[in-house]
Amino acid sequence: MKYALLLMGRTQDPDCGEDGGADPTEFMAFDKEINEAGVVVGGFALEGPELGVRVSGSGGESLVTSGPFAESNEFVGGSYVIEVADIDEAIAWAKKSPAAKAGHIEIRPVADY
């Protein structure tokens, strides 16, 4: 089964971002471990939410808003898409990630369309 591990942070959290959180070498070690295990089938890392743009609809018109988005405290910093036997194995991988220390990881089954 495929699961997305969404690496989540909070914009107001001093332990998240460039000035806090896990040491980048911890992320590099985790990335190496999970890739060498052969369970990663996709993923991405994102730049900070201040560089994002949101497109939304209002009254039939598209509205474009530049980040950061004050009403959104949480952001996705990146993800892994993994293929493992079950949710328990996905949870085990999430627990190993340094992202689980400063932020949190949301695990979602990937829909098979």
Side-chain angles (χ1 to χ4, degrees):
M1 176 108 190
K2 290 181 184 168
Y3 294 92
L5 306 182
L6 303 174
L7 312 181
M8 307 292 293
R10 291 181 185 83
T11 56
Q12 305 301 319
D13 190 343
D15 290 333
C16 186
E18 292 180 15
D19 298 329
D23 185 299
T25 58
E26 292 180 65
F27 279 104
M28 299 287 199
F30 174 73
D31 189 67
K32 181 179 179 185
E33 180 183 1
I34 196 169
N35 276 287
E36 286 180 352
V39 299
V40 175
V41 295
F44 54 84
L46 297 173
E47 295 291 346
E50 69 279 1
L51 299 175
V53 175
R54 178 182 295 159
V55 178
S56 57
S58 178
E61 298 290 321
S62 292
L63 176 64
V64 179
T65 309
S66 297
F69 310 107
E71 65 277 8
S72 178
N73 185 26
E74 291 188 335
F75 64 90
V76 179
S79 77
Y80 288 95
V81 177
I82 60 173
E83 190 162 3
V84 293
D86 54 33
I87 188 70
D88 292 329
E89 191 174 349
I91 291 169
W93 278 111
K95 285 180 175 181
K96 290 183 176 188
S97 173
K101 295 176 186 171
H104 67 276
I105 299 175
E106 183 174 332
I107 303 171
R108 304 267 302 273
V110 175
D112 187 19
Y113 291 110

